[in-house]
Amino acid sequence: MKKTALVTGILGQDGPYLAKLLLENDYKVFGLVRRYSNPNFSNLEYLGLMNKIEFVEGDLTDESSLINIVKNTRPEEIYNLAAQSFVGGSWDQAKLTTEVNAVGVLFLLNTIKFFSPITRFYQASTSEMFGLGNTNGFQDENTPFHPRSPYGVSKVYAYWMTVNFRESFGLFTCNGILFNHESPIRGIQFVTRKITDGVARIKLGLAKELRLGNLESRRDWGFAGDYVEAMYLMLQQKNPDDYVVGTGENHSVGEFVEKAFLVAGINDWKKYVTIDPRFKRPAEVPNLKAKPDKAQKVLGWKKKTSFDALVKMMVEADLKRLKSVKIS
Ligand code: NAP
Ligand code: GDD
């Protein structure tokens, strides 16, 4: 018998990579999608997964839709990847961010508790929860949280609810505290993809400049395809637990920019980059760097893709995409 999994956020960046991994492990995958006038399946198409997922319609802010889905599909595993995930937008949409990222998780946990308590649950927690916690060094499972955005605050609530349902009701619930992970299907608002798309446009003569905010902040960037393996492994353990997942090295936004221009064969990147205060944040997270020792030791998880390989993969994918659009 195939195992069954429900993946929320199936149309985002991580959803398709996780679905691919689950399908390779012979799962039946249900993907939760919202009701759309014009649905965008391009990330699933990019990974060749259309027609391999069974879509179920619902919304994290609508508890009854979650109850119906769980009762009808009875998944053995739920991966909750759905979120208003853009930190920069979370100040302007703090209520929506809270409803989806915090209350939505409570709805899912309640649904599991009342209707399917054997279901194993993965919560997409984040290094944004650390915020100013130990910014001089690295962050691990013992680092205190000091979130700096409504997004970070909403995720701290969800983190603790996930822990609380484990401790209170004995549910198999896990937090993956993932550091930034990227790919060619990363949303265009996030800085890495904005950079690689911008660099490709400049290279192809489609744009003259790239407007960015804070070039000083440092992130621990890895490849999304590697990180979904950690999500999967967490739900295969004997006991539920929480894990930090990252590469253990970090780079500034400026370094990412420089490297991306170099991949495109452009040495003088400063000629093309303009600092635009509109892209700076009311409160910044200056320095994230994971210490993923627990994930390595317990899950046997390790990053496979280097920083250089990630930047190259993303720039080359954007060049290829834009060239094909230009020709057609
Ligand atoms: P993403 O590309 O923004 O995808 C998020 C998905 O959530 C989208 O498909 C979106 O649906 C869906 N969604 C939003 N609101 C919803 C709602 N009310 N009901 C149902 N679905 C909803 O994010 P990602 O990069 O794949 O990240 C996956 C998860 O990991 C997120 O929870 C994020 O916060 C967390 N995380 C990400 C990173 C990272 O670096 N990528 C690091 C740590 C944690 P639409 O397609 O309809 O918009
Ligand atoms: N988006 C964006 N756009 N960020 C910029 C820009 C710009 O023009 N210029 C500089 N930055 C800086 C931001 O201020 C931040 O310090 C850094 O680039 C990374 O920004 P994002 O790529 O938007 O990601 P994030 O780190 O805020 O959040 C991502 O990673 C989190 C994990 O740490 C998201 O994926 C979150 O959902 C995730 O939880």
Side-chain angles (χ1 to χ4, degrees):
M1 269 272 280
K2 276 180 188 266
K3 279 180 98 173
T4 52
L6 170 67
V7 179
T8 73
I10 191 81
L11 304 184
Q13 172 188 249
D14 291 1
Y17 282 105
L18 176 64
K20 186 165 185 284
L21 178 71
L22 293 170
L23 289 164
E24 283 163 4
N25 282 283
D26 207 28
Y27 276 65
K28 177 167 181 55
V29 179
F30 295 97
L32 185 144
V33 292
R34 300 194 265 184
R35 203 209 67 80
Y36 302 91
S37 302
N38 283 304
N40 181 352
F41 295 103
S42 59
N43 287 353
L44 284 173
E45 278 161 6
Y46 184 87
L47 292 184
L49 298 181
M50 283 308 285
N51 308 323
K52 297 194 174 152
I53 312 286
E54 187 164 323
F55 296 110
V56 287
E57 215 169 82
D59 195 299
L60 241 60
T61 60
D62 183 338
E63 194 172 18
S64 65
S65 72
L66 304 176
I67 292 171
N68 273 335
I69 289 168
V70 169
K71 280 174 91 173
N72 291 335
T73 60
R74 296 267 164 215
E76 281 149 293
E77 297 169 10
I78 295 180
Y79 296 86
N80 180 36
L81 310 183
Q84 189 306 90
S85 77
F86 185 48
V87 174
S90 72
W91 281 272
D92 288 338
Q93 297 193 36
K95 179 170 177 275
L96 175 78
T97 303
T98 306
E99 282 172 355
V100 180
N101 299 4
V103 183
V105 177
L106 174 61
F107 286 169
L108 261 178
L109 288 165
N110 268 333
T111 300
I112 291 172
K113 178 187 160 199
F114 289 119
F115 298 101
S116 190
I118 54 160
T119 297
R120 295 183 169 205
F121 179 75
Y122 172 87
Q123 167 57 17
S125 285
T126 163
S127 49
E128 270 293 305
M129 301 187 304
F130 296 124
L132 285 187
N134 198 25
T135 49
N136 293 328
F138 54 79
Q139 295 88 26
D140 67 10
E141 292 80 4
N142 300 314
T143 304
F145 297 146
H146 182 152
R148 297 275 283 168
S149 61
Y151 170 82
V153 173
S154 70
K155 287 282 189 174
V156 170
Y157 173 91
Y159 170 92
W160 282 117
M161 272 300 172
T162 300
V163 172
N164 184 259
F165 271 59
R166 181 167 78 218
E167 292 176 351
S168 303
F169 310 117
L171 300 184
F172 195 111
T173 60
C174 300
N175 283 290
I177 307 173
L178 270 52
F179 284 60
N180 299 49
H181 45 279
E182 320 294 315
S183 72
I185 56 170
R186 179 61 142 151
I188 203 86
Q189 282 182 309
F190 300 94
V191 78
T192 55
R193 186 71 200 294
K194 183 175 170 184
I195 294 166
T196 60
D197 174 75
V199 166
R201 282 174 195 276
I202 289 167
K203 177 73 181 174
L204 298 175
L206 300 170
K208 290 195 161 57
E209 64 166 0
L210 173 59
R211 301 185 83 84
L212 294 168
N214 179 13
L215 299 188
E216 310 301 321
S217 57
R218 301 182 71 82
R219 291 290 181 272
D220 179 334
W221 281 297
F223 171 50
D226 294 347
Y227 285 42
V228 297
E229 290 177 10
M231 300 176 185
Y232 172 69
L233 287 169
M234 281 177 221
L235 295 201
Q236 314 311 313
Q237 301 306 303
K238 190 155 177 276
N239 297 309
D241 208 343
D242 311 310
Y243 300 87
V244 154
V245 177
T247 70
E249 69 176 63
N250 71 7
H251 300 268
S252 69
V253 174
E255 284 167 40
F256 194 106
V257 173
E258 183 176 15
K259 185 114 340 192
F261 272 101
L262 280 175
V263 170
I266 302 172
N267 296 319
D268 47 354
W269 64 272
K270 287 190 175 144
K271 240 173 74 182
Y272 299 100
V273 173
T274 307
I275 301 302
D276 186 334
R278 283 182 306 154
F279 299 114
K280 292 197 171 164
R281 295 175 178 175
E284 182 60 278
V285 172
N287 192 19
L288 292 175
K289 185 159 72 164
K291 189 159 188 267
D293 294 8
K294 181 175 168 185
Q296 281 178 18
K297 193 165 159 239
V298 181
L299 304 177
W301 180 87
K302 248 181 137 166
K303 71 153 187 185
K304 293 178 183 153
T305 311
S306 70
F307 176 70
D308 285 5
L310 175 67
V311 180
K312 188 166 181 286
M313 178 200 312
M314 292 178 69
V315 173
E316 286 176 350
D318 274 320
L319 280 168
K320 189 171 166 200
R321 179 181 56 85
L322 287 166
K323 274 182 196 159
S324 68
V325 173
K326 229 179 145 185
I327 293 161
S328 57

